[in-house]
Amino acid sequence: MKINLSQLQLGQTAIIEEFDIDRVPLKLLEMGCLPGNEVKLLQKAPLGDPLYLIINDSHLAIRLETANAIQVEVSDK
């Protein structure tokens, strides 16, 4: 099931499928936010923005609007 990264539940793991290159900062791409990589949602800020994630062993905090531009496939892990 494909969803936006922003729709992941806490502790849920997914694989990055695709994203809008114009809305995802280059810095995220350099840190491993690329199609085929695994992402896990660790925490959400109290108001839901930003999201705290692990992407290929890198801990990242990203904005909700950026997470909305990234499509993921939820895994069964």
Side-chain angles (χ1 to χ4, degrees), residues 40-57:
K40 181 176 182 178
L41 179 62
L42 293 181
Q43 293 179 336
K44 287 185 180 181
L47 297 177
D49 188 14
L51 307 175
Y52 184 55
L53 311 162
I54 294 179
I55 300 176
N56 281 357
D57 297 325

Side-chain angles (χ1 to χ4, degrees), residues 28-75:
L28 285 180
L29 302 178
E30 292 170 348
M31 295 183 78
C33 187
L34 297 167
N37 288 347
E38 186 177 85
V39 60
K40 181 176 182 178
L41 179 62
L42 293 181
Q43 293 179 336
K44 287 185 180 181
L47 297 177
D49 188 14
L51 307 175
Y52 184 55
L53 311 162
I54 294 179
I55 300 176
N56 281 357
D57 297 325
S58 294
H59 292 249
L60 305 171
I62 66 170
R63 293 180 175 180
L64 192 59
E65 72 178 74
T66 302
N68 283 328
I70 301 172
Q71 295 287 313
V72 298
E73 179 75 31
V74 177
S75 63

